[in-house]
Amino acid sequence: MRDAGDVGDTERGRRAGEPATRPRRSITATVALAAGAAVALAIALVAGVLLSPPARKADDVVEKRLAPAPAVRGVTASEILLGMASAFTGANRELGRAMRAGVEAALAEVNAAGGVHGRKLRLVVADDGYEPSRTGPAMRELVEKDQVFAIVGNVGTPTAAVSIPYCLERKVVFFGAFTGGELLRKQPPDRYVFNYRPSYAEETSAAVRWLVKVRRVAPSRIAVFSQDDGFGESGYRGAAAELERLGVRPADVLRVGYRRNTADVAGALATLRARARDVDAVVMAATYKAAAALVREARDAGLAFVSTNVSAVDADALAEDLVASGDRYARDVMVTQVVPLPNSRAPAALRCREALHARGAGARPGFVALEGFVVGSLLAEGLRRAGRDLDTEKLVEALEGIRELDVGTGARVGFSRTEHQASHEVWATALQPDGSFRQIDLE
């Protein structure tokens, strides 16, 4: 218990400005402040550690937005690389070689005029020998090793059955293949598959109409000779559908065939000889060696039927083969075409001849080369419309925007979101004794 003197002394100390108890409070406050600062620092450090990952993620987002767009496969500042997987060896090598010559002539014409938005177009090729088992490796070589931007001008229906799923999976444009197969003409169309040419069904249907209306052949006396695969099946279906419209049941259509990459027509010829009294015409969906073999052996056997074939036969090679055997083998041979006569005055034919000559390629301006030229020119137009900032989706949209384009064939072409086939025009040509072809009317 404090006494009055204690109280007085304390009050006097305060009045004299000597705070006897304040120093003890300052030490306590200092300790408290120091402890608080330490706690705050610890919290900040912990918070920094805990919050660091989100901050890093935010930095990553910023960096990605500021980073340049990833390069588009096959497209550089100066070049667009295109690929073709076709037969450059084997029984159908002439098809691949002619298609390549035409496409490269078109690209050379474009490059001579400055390219597409300052970029030159270049084609690299891989040989699949017209064998589906070789097509997969050829496509992987082009897309994964060579890094091409798009595929153009592949030859063959059975090989397309391998190429198309591959391109769809990897979102690679598959453009202007040399095939009229149905698998390339789905409805609605596959987004990355674009065709220039009419289907084989359209060609064989036109051939049947020509035989009936122009050559006056009874529908029931028309047979079909086709390759034993998707190519031949497409041609057969077109002919059978047209014959059915003319009153012939599909089951009653005489059909003979042969194996792909062969000219073994012995079985087909035997059947035709056995049914010689029932057949006045044969609609073919065959490659040139098999077609030439059947015509030649049929003539030698005394069969005089009229024959037609689709454009995939390679009319120039067929003519060379038949005429070399003698004039009589060239009679009554008609070939449907998807381009006009290569030696005509059609602007596309003139440009193709000039481009082939300028390249010194030595390729003749035949039907297949002209088709390749049109295909290459049409793809170049799509690339132009897609703009300088090119990618696959922009090319698809640009192609689908092409309407009523004059490519120099006499028939305007185009695409849309629901139509990925540019042309439905079919021409007809008759083989002449000198190996040339004359354009004839289908109706």
Side-chain angles (χ1 to χ4, degrees):
M1 181 176 176
R2 293 180 297 174
D3 57 18
D6 293 333
V7 173
D9 291 340
T10 300
E11 289 175 353
R12 282 194 298 273
R14 288 178 180 171
R15 281 196 298 269
E18 299 174 1
T21 59
R22 193 169 293 169
R24 287 196 295 270
R25 291 198 192 113
S26 296
I27 293 171
T28 302
T30 300
V31 172
L33 288 172
V39 171
L41 179 60
I43 292 172
L45 290 173
V46 172
V49 172
L50 294 176
L51 293 176
S52 179
R56 180 66 259 171
K57 289 179 181 177
D59 290 343
D60 290 344
V61 171
V62 172
E63 288 177 6
K64 286 180 181 178
R65 289 180 177 176
L66 294 178
V72 176
R73 184 192 60 252
V75 179
T76 68
S78 60
E79 183 180 72
I80 299 173
L81 193 61
L82 306 171
M84 175 189 291
S86 293
F88 302 110
T89 58
N92 295 293
R93 61 186 178 276
E94 297 305 325
L95 292 174
R97 293 174 181 179
M99 195 69 178
R100 175 184 182 177
V103 170
E104 288 185 329
L107 302 188
E109 182 187 63
V110 172
N111 290 340
V116 176
H117 299 294
R119 294 185 176 109
K120 296 300 177 68
L121 307 180
R122 182 163 66 91
L123 183 71
V124 295
V125 303
D127 183 18
D128 68 9
Y130 195 55
E131 284 292 351
S133 61
R134 295 174 58 186
T135 301
M139 290 294 291
R140 288 192 292 275
E141 177 182 339
L142 291 171
V143 176
E144 298 169 27
K145 178 183 175 183
D146 296 322
Q147 293 284 296
V148 300
F149 173 65
I151 298 295
V152 56
N154 280 19
V155 170
T157 302
T159 53
V162 177
S163 299
I164 289 175
Y166 179 87
C167 286
L168 293 178
E169 180 183 348
R170 288 159 181 78
K171 298 183 178 180
V172 177
V173 168
F174 186 79
F175 189 87
F178 185 83
T179 169
E182 296 168 3
L183 67 109
L184 291 84
R185 292 163 173 80
K186 296 180 180 177
Q187 288 298 327
D190 288 324
R191 178 168 176 79
Y192 302 103
V193 178
F194 289 84
N195 304 290
Y196 158 69
R197 58 169 29 245
S199 68
Y200 293 138
E202 289 176 281
E203 290 192 64
T204 54
S205 177
V208 168
R209 291 195 301 273
W210 175 77
L211 287 169
V212 173
K213 294 182 178 181
V214 178
R215 294 302 301 264
R216 303 298 180 184
V217 176
S220 61
R221 299 181 63 81
I222 298 174
V224 177
F225 171 65
S226 59
Q227 187 166 284
D228 188 17
D229 61 7
F231 160 47
E233 185 65 22
S234 294
Y236 165 75
R237 286 180 181 175
E242 187 64 31
L243 288 170
E244 186 173 20
R245 282 191 286 272
L246 295 170
V248 181
R249 295 185 309 161
D252 294 333
V253 177
L254 176 61
R255 182 182 184 183
V256 294
Y258 71 101
R259 289 184 298 108
R260 181 181 63 247
N261 267 343
T262 75
D264 182 5
V265 299
L269 181 63
T271 300
L272 290 172
R273 291 184 68 177
R275 298 281 301 275
R277 294 182 179 181
D278 304 322
V279 177
D280 291 331
V282 177
V283 174
M284 301 186 183
T287 53
Y288 81 92
K289 283 189 177 294
L294 184 66
V295 170
R296 187 169 47 248
E297 293 180 30
R299 296 290 185 269
D300 290 343
L303 304 181
F305 55 75
V306 179
S307 71
T308 74
N309 212 324
V310 295
S311 55
V313 70
D314 187 351
D316 301 297
L318 175 68
E320 184 177 330
D321 194 319
L322 290 177
V323 172
S325 299
D327 291 354
R328 69 191 184 97
Y329 298 102
R331 287 197 297 269
D332 286 332
V333 174
M334 188 272 270
V335 180
T336 53
Q337 306 289 354
V338 298
V339 290
L341 289 172
N343 60 355
S344 70
R345 301 297 297 174
L350 289 170
R351 287 169 46 215
C352 181
R353 295 199 297 269
E354 291 172 1
L356 286 171
H357 178 73
R359 295 190 72 241
R364 57 185 175 186
F367 290 99
V368 180
L370 179 53
E371 180 176 346
F373 182 84
V374 173
V375 164
S377 301
L378 187 55
L379 178 57
E381 178 63 23
L383 292 169
R384 273 191 289 267
R385 296 188 183 206
R388 173 73 183 178
D389 187 17
L390 178 65
D391 63 31
T392 297
E393 302 308 320
K394 289 177 181 176
L395 175 58
V396 169
E397 292 170 5
L399 290 170
E400 290 180 339
I402 294 176
R403 302 282 193 281
E404 295 294 314
L405 179 67
D406 182 3
V407 290
T409 63
R412 293 186 177 272
V413 302
F415 301 107
S416 72
R417 288 187 177 182
T418 58
E419 174 65 277
H420 280 195
Q421 179 175 303
S423 174
H424 293 273
E425 187 75 16
V426 177
W427 287 264
T429 58
L431 179 59
Q432 305 301 294
D434 64 355
S436 66
F437 281 89
R438 175 175 59 88
Q439 191 163 313
I440 59 177
D441 293 331
L442 275 170
E443 303 291 340

mmCIF file of all heavy atoms in Angstrom, residues 346-366:
data_model
loop_
_atom_site.group_PDB
_atom_site.id
_atom_site.type_symbol
_atom_site.label_atom_id
_atom_site.label_comp_id
_atom_site.label_asym_id
_atom_site.label_seq_id
_atom_site.Cartn_x
_atom_site.Cartn_y
_atom_site.Cartn_z
ATOM 1 N N ALA A 346 -8.908 -23.398 -126.945
ATOM 2 C CA ALA A 346 -9.397 -23.031 -125.615
ATOM 3 C C ALA A 346 -8.271 -22.338 -124.852
ATOM 4 O O ALA A 346 -7.123 -22.785 -124.892
ATOM 5 C CB ALA A 346 -9.864 -24.270 -124.852
ATOM 6 N N PRO A 347 -8.557 -21.225 -124.173
ATOM 7 C CA PRO A 347 -7.502 -20.474 -123.477
ATOM 8 C C PRO A 347 -6.651 -21.338 -122.542
ATOM 9 O O PRO A 347 -5.429 -21.174 -122.487
ATOM 10 C CB PRO A 347 -8.291 -19.412 -122.695
ATOM 11 C CG PRO A 347 -9.522 -19.198 -123.524
ATOM 12 C CD PRO A 347 -9.864 -20.545 -124.079
ATOM 13 N N ALA A 348 -7.278 -22.249 -121.820
ATOM 14 C CA ALA A 348 -6.510 -23.100 -120.907
ATOM 15 C C ALA A 348 -5.544 -23.984 -121.686
ATOM 16 O O ALA A 348 -4.402 -24.215 -121.249
ATOM 17 C CB ALA A 348 -7.449 -23.956 -120.060
ATOM 18 N N ALA A 349 -5.989 -24.508 -122.834
ATOM 19 C CA ALA A 349 -5.125 -25.358 -123.657
ATOM 20 C C ALA A 349 -3.947 -24.562 -124.211
ATOM 21 O O ALA A 349 -2.804 -25.038 -124.224
ATOM 22 C CB ALA A 349 -5.935 -25.980 -124.789
ATOM 23 N N LEU A 350 -4.214 -23.334 -124.651
ATOM 24 C CA LEU A 350 -3.147 -22.475 -125.169
ATOM 25 C C LEU A 350 -2.114 -22.172 -124.082
ATOM 26 O O LEU A 350 -0.904 -22.277 -124.308
ATOM 27 C CB LEU A 350 -3.734 -21.170 -125.705
ATOM 28 C CG LEU A 350 -4.550 -21.265 -127.001
ATOM 29 C CD1 LEU A 350 -5.269 -19.943 -127.270
ATOM 30 C CD2 LEU A 350 -3.641 -21.624 -128.172
ATOM 31 N N ARG A 351 -2.590 -21.795 -122.912
ATOM 32 C CA ARG A 351 -1.694 -21.457 -121.803
ATOM 33 C C ARG A 351 -0.890 -22.677 -121.360
ATOM 34 O O ARG A 351 0.290 -22.570 -121.024
ATOM 35 C CB ARG A 351 -2.493 -20.888 -120.634
ATOM 36 C CG ARG A 351 -3.012 -19.485 -120.853
ATOM 37 C CD ARG A 351 -4.009 -19.087 -119.780
ATOM 38 N NE ARG A 351 -3.542 -19.426 -118.446
ATOM 39 C CZ ARG A 351 -4.334 -19.823 -117.455
ATOM 40 N NH1 ARG A 351 -5.644 -19.941 -117.659
ATOM 41 N NH2 ARG A 351 -3.827 -20.089 -116.267
ATOM 42 N N CYS A 352 -1.544 -23.831 -121.348
ATOM 43 C CA CYS A 352 -0.854 -25.060 -120.948
ATOM 44 C C CYS A 352 0.271 -25.380 -121.918
ATOM 45 O O CYS A 352 1.393 -25.704 -121.488
ATOM 46 C CB CYS A 352 -1.845 -26.216 -120.882
ATOM 47 S SG CYS A 352 -1.111 -27.792 -120.378
ATOM 48 N N ARG A 353 0.004 -25.290 -123.206
ATOM 49 C CA ARG A 353 1.036 -25.564 -124.204
ATOM 50 C C ARG A 353 2.204 -24.592 -124.057
ATOM 51 O O ARG A 353 3.377 -24.984 -124.114
ATOM 52 C CB ARG A 353 0.455 -25.497 -125.615
ATOM 53 C CG ARG A 353 -0.583 -26.585 -125.906
ATOM 54 C CD ARG A 353 -0.784 -26.782 -127.400
ATOM 55 N NE ARG A 353 -1.308 -25.619 -128.072
ATOM 56 C CZ ARG A 353 -2.610 -25.364 -128.255
ATOM 57 N NH1 ARG A 353 -3.520 -26.209 -127.755
ATOM 58 N NH2 ARG A 353 -3.011 -24.307 -128.912
ATOM 59 N N GLU A 354 1.876 -23.331 -123.843
ATOM 60 C CA GLU A 354 2.921 -22.318 -123.689
ATOM 61 C C GLU A 354 3.757 -22.579 -122.433
ATOM 62 O O GLU A 354 4.989 -22.457 -122.461
ATOM 63 C CB GLU A 354 2.296 -20.920 -123.626
ATOM 64 C CG GLU A 354 1.695 -20.462 -124.947
ATOM 65 C CD GLU A 354 0.920 -19.163 -124.797
ATOM 66 O OE1 GLU A 354 0.878 -18.622 -123.663
ATOM 67 O OE2 GLU A 354 0.365 -18.694 -125.805
ATOM 68 N N ALA A 355 3.084 -22.919 -121.347
ATOM 69 C CA ALA A 355 3.796 -23.159 -120.082
ATOM 70 C C ALA A 355 4.685 -24.398 -120.179
ATOM 71 O O ALA A 355 5.817 -24.404 -119.676
ATOM 72 C CB ALA A 355 2.797 -23.306 -118.939
ATOM 73 N N LEU A 356 4.187 -25.447 -120.818
ATOM 74 C CA LEU A 356 5.000 -26.658 -120.986
ATOM 75 C C LEU A 356 6.217 -26.362 -121.856
ATOM 76 O O LEU A 356 7.331 -26.811 -121.562
ATOM 77 C CB LEU A 356 4.157 -27.773 -121.612
ATOM 78 C CG LEU A 356 3.122 -28.439 -120.709
ATOM 79 C CD1 LEU A 356 2.216 -29.352 -121.527
ATOM 80 C CD2 LEU A 356 3.787 -29.225 -119.581
ATOM 81 N N HIS A 357 6.012 -25.587 -122.902
ATOM 82 C CA HIS A 357 7.118 -25.236 -123.800
ATOM 83 C C HIS A 357 8.149 -24.378 -123.072
ATOM 84 O O HIS A 357 9.365 -24.581 -123.215
ATOM 85 C CB HIS A 357 6.586 -24.488 -125.025
ATOM 86 C CG HIS A 357 7.657 -24.047 -125.969
ATOM 87 N ND1 HIS A 357 8.339 -24.930 -126.777
ATOM 88 C CD2 HIS A 357 8.185 -22.801 -126.217
ATOM 89 C CE1 HIS A 357 9.234 -24.259 -127.487
ATOM 90 N NE2 HIS A 357 9.159 -22.976 -127.171
ATOM 91 N N ALA A 358 7.669 -23.425 -122.276
ATOM 92 C CA ALA A 358 8.574 -22.530 -121.554
ATOM 93 C C ALA A 358 9.435 -23.297 -120.559
ATOM 94 O O ALA A 358 10.597 -22.942 -120.324
ATOM 95 C CB ALA A 358 7.774 -21.452 -120.827
ATOM 96 N N ARG A 359 8.880 -24.348 -119.971
ATOM 97 C CA ARG A 359 9.625 -25.141 -119.001
ATOM 98 C C ARG A 359 10.590 -26.114 -119.673
ATOM 99 O O ARG A 359 11.489 -26.651 -119.030
ATOM 100 C CB ARG A 359 8.680 -25.938 -118.102
ATOM 101 C CG ARG A 359 7.810 -25.078 -117.209
ATOM 102 C CD ARG A 359 7.074 -25.914 -116.186
ATOM 103 N NE ARG A 359 7.997 -26.397 -115.167
ATOM 104 C CZ ARG A 359 8.254 -27.669 -114.908
ATOM 105 N NH1 ARG A 359 7.665 -28.613 -115.625
ATOM 106 N NH2 ARG A 359 9.086 -28.027 -113.959
ATOM 107 N N GLY A 360 10.349 -26.369 -120.979
ATOM 108 C CA GLY A 360 11.191 -27.318 -121.676
ATOM 109 C C GLY A 360 11.074 -28.710 -121.097
ATOM 110 O O GLY A 360 12.023 -29.496 -121.095
ATOM 111 N N ALA A 361 9.876 -29.000 -120.576
ATOM 112 C CA ALA A 361 9.679 -30.267 -119.874
ATOM 113 C C ALA A 361 9.619 -31.463 -120.817
ATOM 114 O O ALA A 361 9.790 -32.599 -120.391
ATOM 115 C CB ALA A 361 8.397 -30.198 -119.042
ATOM 116 N N GLY A 362 9.351 -31.202 -122.086
ATOM 117 C CA GLY A 362 9.256 -32.301 -123.030
ATOM 118 C C GLY A 362 7.945 -33.062 -122.946
ATOM 119 O O GLY A 362 7.742 -34.045 -123.652
ATOM 120 N N ALA A 363 7.045 -32.627 -122.065
ATOM 121 C CA ALA A 363 5.755 -33.306 -121.926
ATOM 122 C C ALA A 363 4.811 -32.862 -123.033
ATOM 123 O O ALA A 363 4.742 -31.682 -123.368
ATOM 124 C CB ALA A 363 5.142 -32.987 -120.559
ATOM 125 N N ARG A 364 4.088 -33.796 -123.585
ATOM 126 C CA ARG A 364 3.132 -33.447 -124.622
ATOM 127 C C ARG A 364 1.895 -32.842 -123.966
ATOM 128 O O ARG A 364 1.515 -33.231 -122.864
ATOM 129 C CB ARG A 364 2.750 -34.682 -125.435
ATOM 130 C CG ARG A 364 2.180 -35.807 -124.589
ATOM 131 C CD ARG A 364 1.939 -37.051 -125.422
ATOM 132 N NE ARG A 364 1.503 -38.161 -124.587
ATOM 133 C CZ ARG A 364 1.327 -39.386 -125.037
ATOM 134 N NH1 ARG A 364 1.551 -39.654 -126.311
ATOM 135 N NH2 ARG A 364 0.932 -40.352 -124.230
ATOM 136 N N PRO A 365 1.250 -31.927 -124.638
ATOM 137 C CA PRO A 365 0.058 -31.293 -124.055
ATOM 138 C C PRO A 365 -1.166 -32.194 -124.209
ATOM 139 O O PRO A 365 -2.095 -31.913 -124.975
ATOM 140 C CB PRO A 365 -0.080 -30.012 -124.884
ATOM 141 C CG PRO A 365 0.504 -30.374 -126.223
ATOM 142 C CD PRO A 365 1.630 -31.341 -125.934
ATOM 143 N N GLY A 366 -1.186 -33.296 -123.458
ATOM 144 C CA GLY A 366 -2.288 -34.244 -123.549
ATOM 145 C C GLY A 366 -3.413 -33.904 -122.588
ATOM 146 O O GLY A 366 -3.373 -32.912 -121.854
#
